[in-house]
Amino acid sequence: SAQAFRHLPPIRAPFFGVRRLVAMGKQKAAKPQKSKGGGDDAETISAVREVQDKLEELNAQADQLKVNLRRAEIETQRSNLTIKELEALPAETKMYRQVGKMFLLQPKPDLETHLRGNAALKSVEAQQMKQALAKLGEQANSEANSLKELLGAEKMEQTFGPKFGAGYRAGAGNKAPQ
């Protein structure tokens, strides 16, 4: 039963209970378990592999979104801090804006407008990325439910522990510590 899944590479998943589910599966998979009447068919193994691939893909997407989200937040903060520094300077001060490898002379109001626009744009992008990350979390929970349906509640509990057995529903507020 569980030995049929041992040859599969470990599942990596990005969110709450799913990450815990994967971690617990790695622990339990090391111990051989006796089969109770009949092995797993190739169809089930193939379906589990598909779910695993989907979880890995979702994890990669979530990691990329987190990196981009962090960059957007840093850029927003950088623009806001620069605006604060510019407020103290007189309007006649020569100011330059970097464009690629060169610097262009810009009037203070134009530079402030550019920085405010950039901060607003990056802030909106960050909000969109947070929403996309939440959607990825929902998809990962859906995949965890699919895995539970494929394996069945008993096998899920045997493989991943009692937290993910019969009473577990991914996305139902069951959040495991990371």
Side-chain angles (χ1 to χ4, degrees):
S1 60
Q3 289 179 335
F5 297 104
R6 271 182 82 167
H7 70 281
L8 296 174
I11 300 171
R12 239 179 101 220
F15 304 99
F16 306 121
V18 179
R19 185 178 299 274
R20 178 84 172 152
L21 177 132
V22 171
M24 292 177 77
K26 287 180 187 174
Q27 284 177 334
K28 300 287 182 179
K31 298 178 185 176
Q33 296 183 3
K34 299 176 184 175
S35 71
K36 296 181 181 178
D40 295 305
D41 58 354
E43 203 172 288
T44 305
I45 293 171
S46 173
V48 168
R49 190 169 282 207
E50 285 179 29
V51 171
Q52 176 183 355
D53 291 343
K54 183 66 175 171
L55 284 171
E56 288 174 355
E57 181 183 323
L58 289 172
N59 188 49
Q61 290 175 359
D63 289 345
Q64 186 63 42
L65 266 177
K66 287 177 187 176
V67 168
N68 291 340
L69 176 63
R70 182 71 182 132
R71 283 186 187 147
E73 289 172 344
I74 288 171
E75 191 64 33
T76 300
Q77 190 175 21
R78 180 180 295 142
S79 293
N80 288 332
L81 289 172
T82 305
I83 290 169
K84 282 184 182 179
E85 291 294 321
L86 290 180
E87 288 174 355
L89 298 174
E92 311 81 47
T93 306
K94 287 188 177 183
M95 296 186 189
Y96 296 86
R97 180 173 74 125
Q98 185 175 359
V99 179
K101 292 183 177 183
M102 66 179 183
F103 292 88
L104 296 176
L105 181 64
Q106 295 252 296
K108 182 180 175 183
D110 290 352
L111 192 57
E112 285 176 332
T113 302
H114 169 75
L115 288 170
R116 283 191 179 89
N118 190 35
L121 176 69
K122 294 298 179 179
S123 178
V124 168
E125 284 179 10
Q127 289 300 322
Q128 290 173 342
M129 286 184 233
K130 287 177 185 176
Q131 290 172 354
L133 199 56
K135 285 181 184 178
L136 283 176
E138 291 171 7
Q139 288 177 349
N141 284 333
S142 172
E143 292 298 324
N145 281 335
S146 297
L147 186 62
K148 181 181 174 193
E149 289 173 12
L150 285 171
L151 295 178
E154 284 184 27
K155 187 176 241 177
M156 190 80 160
E157 187 171 340
Q158 287 174 351
T159 307
F160 299 109
K163 173 125 176 115
F164 301 100
Y168 177 77
R169 289 183 324 155
N174 299 332
K175 294 182 182 177
Q178 288 187 356

